[in-house]
Protein backbone atom coordinates (compact mmCIF):
# COMPACT_ATOMS: atom_id res chain seq x y z
CA UNK A 1 0.00 0.00 0.00
CA UNK A 2 2.96 2.13 0.06
CA UNK A 3 3.60 4.09 -3.13
CA UNK A 4 7.28 4.46 -2.53
CA UNK A 5 9.18 1.23 -1.91
CA UNK A 6 11.91 2.91 0.11
CA UNK A 7 9.41 4.76 2.15
CA UNK A 8 7.64 1.52 2.95
CA UNK A 9 10.88 -0.25 3.85
CA UNK A 10 12.06 2.39 6.23
CA UNK A 11 8.70 3.08 7.60
CA UNK A 12 6.27 5.91 7.53
CA UNK A 13 8.39 8.20 9.70
CA UNK A 14 11.12 8.35 7.16
CA UNK A 15 8.72 9.75 4.62
CA UNK A 16 8.06 12.75 6.74
CA UNK A 17 11.82 13.38 6.97
CA UNK A 18 12.17 13.26 3.18
CA UNK A 19 9.32 15.67 2.74
CA UNK A 20 10.87 17.94 5.30
CA UNK A 21 14.26 17.69 3.57
CA UNK A 22 12.68 18.46 0.24
CA UNK A 23 11.20 21.70 1.50
CA UNK A 24 14.16 22.78 3.62
CA UNK A 25 16.09 25.87 2.66
CA UNK A 26 19.42 24.11 2.37
CA UNK A 27 18.02 21.50 0.04
CA UNK A 28 16.29 24.09 -2.07
CA UNK A 29 19.47 26.18 -2.26
CA UNK A 30 21.50 23.14 -3.23
CA UNK A 31 18.98 22.24 -5.95
CA UNK A 32 18.92 25.86 -7.22
CA UNK A 33 22.71 25.89 -7.35
CA UNK A 34 22.81 22.65 -9.28
CA UNK A 35 20.16 23.91 -11.71
CA UNK A 36 21.98 27.21 -12.16
CA UNK A 37 25.28 25.42 -12.75
CA UNK A 38 23.61 23.20 -15.33
CA UNK A 39 22.13 26.25 -17.09
CA UNK A 40 25.46 28.06 -17.09
CA UNK A 41 27.21 24.99 -18.46
CA UNK A 42 24.55 24.58 -21.15
CA UNK A 43 24.71 28.27 -22.09
CA UNK A 44 28.51 28.11 -22.30
CA UNK A 45 28.39 25.13 -24.62
CA UNK A 46 25.70 26.89 -26.69
CA UNK A 47 27.84 30.03 -26.88
CA UNK A 48 30.82 28.02 -27.99
CA UNK A 49 28.68 26.33 -30.60
CA UNK A 50 27.27 29.69 -31.67
CA UNK A 51 30.73 31.22 -31.88
CA UNK A 52 31.92 28.52 -34.19
CA UNK A 53 28.73 28.82 -36.27
CA UNK A 54 29.03 32.61 -36.46
CA UNK A 55 32.64 32.32 -37.47
CA UNK A 56 31.69 29.97 -40.28
CA UNK A 57 28.84 32.23 -41.29
CA UNK A 58 31.11 35.26 -41.22
CA UNK A 59 33.65 33.46 -43.39
CA UNK A 60 30.92 32.45 -45.83
CA UNK A 61 29.57 36.00 -45.88
CA UNK A 62 33.06 37.38 -46.52
CA UNK A 63 33.57 34.85 -49.30
CA UNK A 64 30.25 35.79 -50.91
CA UNK A 65 31.04 39.51 -50.66
CA UNK A 66 34.50 39.04 -52.15
CA UNK A 67 33.11 36.99 -55.01
CA UNK A 68 30.47 39.66 -55.67
CA UNK A 69 33.13 42.36 -55.71
CA UNK A 70 35.28 40.35 -58.11
CA UNK A 71 32.28 39.54 -60.29
CA UNK A 72 31.10 43.15 -60.43
CA UNK A 73 34.50 44.87 -60.77
CA UNK A 74 34.77 44.50 -64.56
CA UNK A 75 31.19 45.60 -65.35
CA UNK A 76 31.52 48.59 -63.05
CA UNK A 77 34.82 49.56 -64.69
CA UNK A 78 33.18 49.23 -68.11
CA UNK A 79 30.25 51.35 -66.94
CA UNK A 80 32.53 54.11 -65.67
CA UNK A 81 34.63 54.12 -68.86
CA UNK A 82 31.51 54.19 -71.03
CA UNK A 83 30.10 57.10 -69.03
CA UNK A 84 33.39 58.98 -69.57
CA UNK A 85 33.24 58.19 -73.29
CA UNK A 86 29.63 59.40 -73.45
CA UNK A 87 30.60 62.64 -71.73
CA UNK A 88 33.45 63.14 -74.22
CA UNK A 89 31.15 62.45 -77.18
CA UNK A 90 28.58 64.91 -75.83
CA UNK A 91 31.31 67.54 -75.56
CA UNK A 92 32.37 66.85 -79.16
CA UNK A 93 28.77 67.08 -80.29
CA UNK A 94 28.39 70.45 -78.57
CA UNK A 95 31.60 71.67 -80.25
CA UNK A 96 30.36 70.39 -83.62
CA UNK A 97 27.05 72.19 -83.18
CA UNK A 98 28.93 75.35 -82.33
CA UNK A 99 31.08 74.94 -85.45
CA UNK A 100 27.96 74.37 -87.58
CA UNK A 101 26.48 77.60 -86.23
CA UNK A 102 29.70 79.46 -87.10
CA UNK A 103 29.65 78.04 -90.62
CA UNK A 104 25.98 79.01 -91.04
CA UNK A 105 26.85 82.55 -89.98
CA UNK A 106 29.75 82.61 -92.45
CA UNK A 107 27.51 81.29 -95.22
CA UNK A 108 24.95 83.99 -94.47
CA UNK A 109 27.71 86.63 -94.61
CA UNK A 110 28.91 85.34 -97.97
CA UNK A 111 25.36 85.83 -99.30
CA UNK A 112 25.85 89.57 -98.78
CA UNK A 113 27.51 91.16 -101.84
CA UNK A 114 29.34 93.81 -99.80
CA UNK A 115 31.03 91.16 -97.62
CA UNK A 116 31.98 89.07 -100.68
CA UNK A 117 33.49 92.14 -102.39
CA UNK A 118 35.45 93.03 -99.26
CA UNK A 119 36.87 89.52 -98.95
CA UNK A 120 37.78 89.37 -102.66
CA UNK A 121 39.66 92.66 -102.39
CA UNK A 122 41.49 91.55 -99.28
CA UNK A 123 42.37 87.97 -100.23
CA UNK A 124 42.92 88.26 -103.98
CA UNK A 125 44.18 91.85 -104.04
CA UNK A 126 41.57 92.95 -106.59
CA UNK A 127 41.00 96.62 -107.18
CA UNK A 128 38.08 98.38 -108.77
CA UNK A 129 38.60 100.26 -112.04
CA UNK A 130 40.22 103.62 -111.36
CA UNK A 131 41.81 102.51 -108.04
CA UNK A 132 45.51 101.97 -107.46
CA UNK A 133 46.51 98.87 -105.56
CA UNK A 134 49.39 98.78 -103.13
CA UNK A 135 50.96 95.82 -101.35
CA UNK A 136 53.01 96.59 -98.27
CA UNK A 137 55.67 94.01 -97.51
CA UNK A 138 56.80 93.54 -93.98
CA UNK A 139 60.54 94.29 -93.82
CA UNK A 140 61.14 91.42 -91.39
CA UNK A 141 59.38 88.98 -93.69
CA UNK A 142 61.45 90.15 -96.69
CA UNK A 143 64.67 89.35 -94.81
CA UNK A 144 63.69 85.73 -94.35
CA UNK A 145 65.26 83.51 -96.92
CA UNK A 146 63.18 80.96 -98.69
CA UNK A 147 65.06 78.11 -96.99
CA UNK A 148 64.16 79.31 -93.51
CA UNK A 149 60.48 79.38 -94.32
CA UNK A 150 58.52 76.24 -93.55
CA UNK A 151 57.51 73.98 -96.43
CA UNK A 152 53.84 74.78 -95.84
CA UNK A 153 54.51 78.54 -95.97
CA UNK A 154 56.17 78.46 -99.40
CA UNK A 155 54.69 77.76 -102.82
CA UNK A 156 54.95 74.21 -104.13
CA UNK A 157 57.46 75.03 -106.84
CA UNK A 158 59.86 76.49 -104.26
CA UNK A 159 59.74 73.18 -102.39
CA UNK A 160 60.44 71.25 -105.60
CA UNK A 161 63.37 73.51 -106.48
CA UNK A 162 64.83 73.16 -102.96
CA UNK A 163 64.55 69.38 -103.28
CA UNK A 164 66.51 69.50 -106.56
CA UNK A 165 69.18 71.74 -104.97
CA UNK A 166 69.51 69.40 -101.98
CA UNK A 167 69.81 66.36 -104.24
CA UNK A 168 72.46 68.09 -106.33
CA UNK A 169 74.41 69.13 -103.22
CA UNK A 170 74.31 65.58 -101.83
CA UNK A 171 75.87 64.19 -105.05
CA UNK A 172 78.98 66.36 -104.70
Amino acid sequence: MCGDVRACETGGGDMAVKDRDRFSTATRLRLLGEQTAARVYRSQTKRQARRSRLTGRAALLALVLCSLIVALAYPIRQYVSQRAEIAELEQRRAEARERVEQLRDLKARWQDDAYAEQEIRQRLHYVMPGETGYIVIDPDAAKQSRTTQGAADRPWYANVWDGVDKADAAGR
Side-chain angles (χ1 to χ4, degrees), residues 96-116:
R97 283 186 178 176
E98 195 174 300
R99 178 73 178 141
V100 166
E101 288 299 318
Q102 290 173 353
L103 291 174
R104 283 184 183 155
D105 290 343
L106 184 61
K107 181 181 175 185
R109 277 191 255 151
W110 276 102
Q111 299 298 322
D112 183 23
D113 289 337
Y115 179 78

Side-chain angles (χ1 to χ4, degrees), residues 8-112:
C8 289
E9 289 174 359
T10 58
D14 198 24
M15 178 100 165
V17 171
K18 278 188 177 182
D19 284 339
R20 202 173 358 122
D21 271 352
R22 193 171 84 189
F23 293 113
S24 74
T25 306
T27 306
R28 286 190 357 226
L29 285 175
R30 184 175 45 83
L31 285 174
L32 279 174
E34 288 173 359
Q35 290 172 353
T36 305
R39 282 187 199 140
V40 167
Y41 178 74
R42 277 190 305 223
S43 68
Q44 285 178 352
T45 57
K46 285 182 182 178
R47 275 193 213 128
Q48 289 172 353
R50 271 192 226 133
R51 283 185 191 142
S52 64
R53 264 196 324 228
L54 288 178
T55 304
R57 287 180 183 171
L60 181 64
L61 180 64
L63 180 66
V64 167
L65 287 176
C66 288
S67 64
L68 282 175
I69 289 171
V70 168
L72 294 176
Y74 182 73
I76 288 174
R77 190 185 74 173
Q78 288 291 355
Y79 174 77
V80 169
S81 67
Q82 287 174 357
R83 295 304 303 171
E85 186 177 344
I86 287 171
E88 181 184 342
L89 290 174
E90 286 176 351
Q91 181 183 5
R92 281 191 205 167
R93 185 181 70 184
E95 291 171 359
R97 283 186 178 176
E98 195 174 300
R99 178 73 178 141
V100 166
E101 288 299 318
Q102 290 173 353
L103 291 174
R104 283 184 183 155
D105 290 343
L106 184 61
K107 181 181 175 185
R109 277 191 255 151
W110 276 102
Q111 299 298 322
D112 183 23

Side-chain angles (χ1 to χ4, degrees), residues 105-159:
D105 290 343
L106 184 61
K107 181 181 175 185
R109 277 191 255 151
W110 276 102
Q111 299 298 322
D112 183 23
D113 289 337
Y115 179 78
E117 184 179 321
Q118 175 190 354
E119 288 296 314
I120 290 170
R121 285 173 169 247
Q122 181 181 352
R123 292 182 185 186
L124 301 175
H125 305 291
Y126 278 22
V127 291
M128 296 298 284
E131 293 180 353
T132 305
Y134 295 98
I135 297 178
V136 179
I137 298 175
D138 185 17
D140 294 332
K143 290 179 185 175
Q144 283 184 340
S145 69
R146 61 186 176 135
T147 57
T148 60
Q149 291 179 341
D153 296 336
R154 299 183 305 185
W156 67 271
Y157 51 84
N159 292 333

